[in-house]
Amino acid sequence: MAQHTDEVIQAAKSLYLKGNKVGEIYKTLKVPKRTVYHWRDVGHWDDMLSNESALECVARRYVLLVGRDDKSDGELKEMDRLLDHQLRLREMHVREMEAANEERDAGKPIVGGRKRKPNRKRGKIIKNDVSHLTAKDFEEKFHKHYYEYQHELRQAKLNPKTCRNRNILKSRQIGATWYFAQEAFEDACLTGDNQIFISATRRQADVFRRYIIAIAKEKFDIELKGSDEIILHTAGDKKASLIFLSTNSKSAQSHHGHVYIDEYFWISKFEELYTVASAMASHKKWRRTLFSTPSAVTHEGYARWTGDLFNRRWKTKNKRKEFPSFKEMQAGVLCPDKVWRKIITLDDAEKGGCDLFDIEELKLEYSADEYRNLYMCKFVDNLQAVFRLNNLEACYADPEDWDDFDIDADRPFDNYPVWGGYDPSRNRDDASFVIVAPSPDPDGKFRILARYKWVNKSYSWQAGQIEKLTKKYNFVHLGVDITGPGAGVFESVKAFFPAALPIYYSVATKTSLVLKAKDVIENGRIEWDMAQSDIAHAFLTIRQGTTGNDMITYSAGRTAATGHADVAWAIMHALCNEPLNTKHKQKVVIA
């Protein structure tokens, strides 16, 4: 461990006792994190804070952040959470004082022989008070604006025969999460029932939270406060909890209420999760609602959706139970396993009043297979795919666990090296740019720190965005596809990053890229935010084929008019900085 002067150690100690985190001290003093942790433990710095109350500790941290200039988004969010925590602690303190006063004064006679009543403050503002909202309020603010298929989802909730278990297969971007956020908020306000939201990652679960906060503010001018849990004060002096969990939550089984699981076809180890989630809604009064876009037929949830799991578990002397057809499910139907299933394709959404899409344009942007999967609720038959879903699921991660990465910081990954990959837009598709962190250990794990989608932007604008990113990250490799429109971006990028690697597509090039990615993925050497399900989807669409000369090649339906799996190719352009033979680390130039 490097030697540091007493002045540096004292400076670190002072910053720690003022409320700075170890990561912030590391950035300020340029002292390794593990060194700061060592000083903290050896010097017993935490013991010096032990006499602080929780309220004092929160206040100290808040004051520290208030004094900072040019606060990052992360620091502003932390200030919001601290304020909310302060309110909770103050309320607890007031309740404790009231209880103590009541106990102290209990039995003391006053004039007339009566007993003293607790001294409660009048006119106290109740946080998250929704007790004044009525069914009529929601009818006017919510229901009048629903599309037809959203009304059908609501009717299924109200019907005693179909409300207990709902399973919805849907097109992308039709407002399902937005609808269920409204449904859950309304139900909590009017019944006082708990609502539990489960998503792949904490960040994805926070989407529900942000929606509900926005809905309450926009429709009823109510400022809701709370992070992992929002406690609503409802009519009849009831309290309803809105609980936001990720799949790796250690306390999931401790809750009970109505459960919502979104994008479940993109959650790994789904059956394990469903066992825990369904247990939270064991009582017959609680509802369980699953909804997702389809992934692949090999996903664990597929057998549950098709009814195969039900038939395997409950097969008797009777014949196999036939489940309704695709068309019947489009209308919404109660199935033999007592689960109400509904399919909502993009065509169904449009017929139901949704006018947010230009379907003909989408058909130009995506191949027929991709369009069927993304918008027509058809599962990918990945048995013939180059990349397998179970291998891709093993790559899912929660960025909250990446302690060395802060997307809101000026230098999100400090000065550690990163690799970049760029896949250009063709005529109608998106351009993709990814930032990959290589492992410092041989054969270690890569991490996809960030990815960007640029739609209908000029090559000079895109090059400008890449230049901005090179000032925030320490790029040591930047692979650019120069086939067709990528050439313009590459020429601009070379001006500020001369080491940019040109990648010209050929049969040999694509083979090399795919084989490298296959090796990395199948050996579990890469991970990305599991909430970004389109990364796995992009890899699933890549197929092996042959050229006119019977040479093996790989594609995802890329043509002059449609460029697809762009984020997968961008990732491969970054990974190509590592040779196929990892025992020899010399740089490979693909051209």
Side-chain angles (χ1 to χ4, degrees):
M1 186 176 294
Q3 295 296 317
H4 297 276
T5 64
D6 290 340
E7 288 77 8
V8 174
I9 298 174
Q10 287 301 316
K13 176 181 176 181
S14 176
L15 289 170
Y16 188 80
L17 296 179
K18 288 179 181 177
N20 288 274
K21 298 178 180 178
V22 170
E24 294 165 343
I25 297 172
Y26 146 75
K27 291 178 182 178
T28 301
L29 300 180
K30 306 302 180 189
V31 176
K33 291 181 184 178
R34 54 185 171 187
T35 301
V36 179
Y37 281 121
H38 174 72
W39 292 341
R40 181 198 65 182
D41 296 339
V42 172
H44 304 290
W45 295 353
D46 285 333
D47 292 343
M48 301 176 190
L49 301 173
S50 60
N51 292 327
E52 282 188 315
S53 67
L55 188 58
E56 290 171 333
C57 183
V58 171
R60 175 170 53 78
R61 176 67 180 171
Y62 184 79
V63 169
L64 175 76
L65 293 176
V66 167
R68 287 185 180 171
D69 296 328
D70 301 323
K71 299 176 186 64
S72 67
D73 290 342
E75 289 170 336
L76 291 172
K77 290 177 183 176
E78 183 181 358
M79 289 175 66
D80 289 339
R81 292 195 298 269
L82 289 170
L83 273 177
D84 180 62
H85 200 45
Q86 278 184 305
L87 288 172
R88 286 191 189 184
L89 291 170
R90 287 198 180 105
E91 285 182 0
M92 289 173 58
H93 180 67
V94 169
R95 286 197 296 268
E96 289 170 357
M97 291 296 294
E98 288 176 347
N101 290 337
E102 187 174 354
E103 183 177 353
R104 182 194 63 201
D105 295 336
K108 290 184 179 179
I110 58 175
V111 179
R114 294 168 293 159
K115 292 186 177 181
R116 293 181 182 269
K117 294 182 178 180
N119 181 22
R120 302 189 183 277
K121 295 182 180 179
R122 294 182 179 179
K124 178 182 175 182
I125 297 176
I126 300 176
K127 186 178 71 171
N128 299 339
D129 183 12
V130 296
S131 59
H132 59 289
L133 298 180
T134 65
K136 187 175 181 181
D137 292 324
F138 289 102
E139 183 179 349
E140 293 177 352
K141 299 291 186 179
F142 285 6
H143 309 165
K144 287 183 178 180
H145 306 286
Y146 287 164
Y147 296 124
E148 183 180 331
Y149 54 91
Q150 292 171 329
H151 280 294
E152 291 171 1
L153 295 175
R154 182 169 179 270
Q155 287 304 314
K157 169 189 174 289
L158 298 175
N159 186 335
K161 293 182 179 179
T162 59
C163 68
R164 171 81 167 127
N165 293 289
R166 292 177 297 173
N167 196 338
I168 295 95
L169 189 67
K170 67 179 187 68
S171 161
R172 293 204 175 195
Q173 300 295 312
I174 62 168
T177 305
W178 179 251
Y179 164 75
F180 284 119
Q182 294 182 60
E183 176 189 281
F185 179 64
E186 176 184 358
D187 190 71
C189 292
L190 298 182
T191 67
D193 287 348
N194 295 340
Q195 316 286 326
I196 303 169
F197 308 91
I198 300 178
S199 300
T201 65
R202 182 65 188 84
R203 188 179 301 177
Q204 193 172 347
D206 198 47
V207 173
F208 263 120
R209 175 181 168 275
R210 292 200 304 270
Y211 278 171
I212 290 174
I213 289 175
I215 289 164
K217 179 62 179 175
E218 177 187 346
K219 303 295 185 180
F220 306 110
D221 197 28
I222 297 174
E223 295 274 1
L224 295 182
K225 299 292 184 181
S227 53
D228 292 343
E229 183 175 358
I230 296 176
I231 300 176
L232 304 178
H233 291 261
T234 67
D237 202 27
K238 294 181 179 179
K239 292 181 180 179
S241 292
L242 308 179
I243 303 161
F244 308 94
L245 302 173
S246 60
T247 57
N248 62 359
S249 174
K250 302 296 187 294
S251 59
Q253 63 271 21
S254 64
H255 302 291
H256 63 274
H258 303 296
V259 174
Y260 294 86
I261 307 178
D262 70 328
E263 291 299 350
Y264 75 91
F265 275 121
W266 298 97
I267 293 176
S268 60
K269 299 180 180 178
F270 169 72
E271 283 302 322
E272 180 181 322
L273 165 71
Y274 185 76
T275 300
V276 175
S278 59
M280 290 189 284
S282 295
H283 294 175
K284 62 183 180 180
K285 67 172 287 187
W286 303 126
R287 298 185 309 276
R288 293 177 284 204
T289 303
L290 286 71
F291 59 102
S292 181
T293 52
S295 58
V297 296
T298 52
H299 187 271
E300 284 188 3
Y302 183 71
R304 181 174 293 278
W305 167 258
T306 61
D308 287 344
L309 182 64
F310 171 79
N311 277 308
R312 287 201 303 265
R313 286 181 175 176
W314 304 107
K315 61 183 178 180
T316 62
K317 295 180 181 179
N318 298 322
K319 292 182 179 180
R320 173 187 173 91
K321 296 286 186 180
E322 289 297 325
F323 274 63
S325 66
F326 188 97
K327 186 174 182 179
E328 289 172 319
M329 288 186 185
Q330 285 179 277
V333 60
L334 187 64
C335 299
D337 58 354
K338 296 186 178 181
V339 175
W340 183 79
R341 286 173 173 79
K342 182 170 179 62
I343 294 174
I344 309 172
T345 68
L346 187 55
D347 289 346
D348 296 329
E350 188 176 53
K351 291 175 184 176
C354 181
D355 58 356
L356 304 176
F357 299 88
D358 184 333
I359 292 181
E360 292 307 314
E361 182 174 307
L362 289 175
K363 288 180 177 178
L364 286 175
E365 293 178 7
Y366 296 95
S367 69
D369 287 343
E370 281 192 311
Y371 185 83
R372 283 193 292 269
N373 176 244
L374 294 172
Y375 301 108
M376 299 306 289
C377 299
K378 299 294 186 180
F379 286 85
V380 174
D381 184 359
N382 67 324
L383 296 176
Q384 303 301 319
V386 174
F387 298 91
R388 299 302 175 90
L389 182 61
N390 62 320
N391 291 327
L392 295 167
E393 287 179 330
C395 300
Y396 294 170
D398 190 340
E400 296 289 330
D401 298 330
W402 297 346
D403 295 334
D404 56 353
F405 177 65
D406 180 2
I407 192 66
D408 298 315
D410 294 334
R411 298 284 291 181
F413 201 51
D414 200 52
N415 202 42
Y416 295 114
V418 297
W419 300 353
Y422 171 78
D423 184 73
S425 60
R426 265 62 184 176
N427 193 18
R428 302 297 298 250
D429 66 323
D430 306 339
S432 279
F433 186 81
V434 299
I435 301 174
V436 176
S439 170
D441 302 320
D443 299 324
K445 272 194 176 184
F446 296 95
R447 285 177 289 167
I448 300 176
L449 301 180
R451 52 78 58 92
Y452 301 88
K453 292 179 69 173
W454 298 322
V455 184
N456 295 328
K457 298 295 184 182
S458 68
Y459 73 82
S460 58
W461 183 93
Q462 295 179 48
Q465 296 302 304
I466 295 173
E467 184 175 14
K468 290 178 182 178
L469 292 170
T470 60
K471 294 176 180 177
K472 296 183 66 173
Y473 294 87
N474 177 23
F475 282 91
V476 296
H477 162 75
L478 210 167
V480 178
D481 175 6
I482 63 170
T483 312
V489 174
F490 179 74
E491 289 302 319
S492 298
V493 168
K494 269 204 314 184
F496 58 81
F497 194 82
L501 177 70
I503 301 174
Y504 184 81
Y505 268 46
S506 66
V507 172
T509 299
K510 286 199 286 186
T511 299
S512 180
L513 292 171
V514 170
L515 290 179
K516 181 64 205 176
K518 251 179 84 67
D519 180 71
V520 168
I521 289 172
E522 289 177 359
N523 284 287
R525 293 188 54 227
I526 189 169
E527 59 185 19
W528 59 76
D529 184 350
M530 68 178 75
Q532 295 182 355
S533 59
D534 57 330
I535 293 179
H537 176 269
F539 279 106
L540 285 174
T541 61
I542 296 174
R543 295 285 191 271
Q544 179 177 303
T546 56
T547 67
N549 297 325
D550 292 329
M551 294 179 65
I552 293 176
T553 187
Y554 300 91
S555 66
R558 302 175 74 97
T559 67
T562 58
H564 306 293
D566 47 282
V567 68
W569 294 108
I571 292 168
M572 287 187 262
H573 299 161
L575 294 180
C576 76
N577 194 46
E578 182 180 82
L580 285 170
N581 182 358
T582 55
K583 293 181 180 179
H584 299 88
K585 293 290 186 177
Q586 73 272 16
K587 188 170 182 178
V588 174
V589 177
I590 301 176

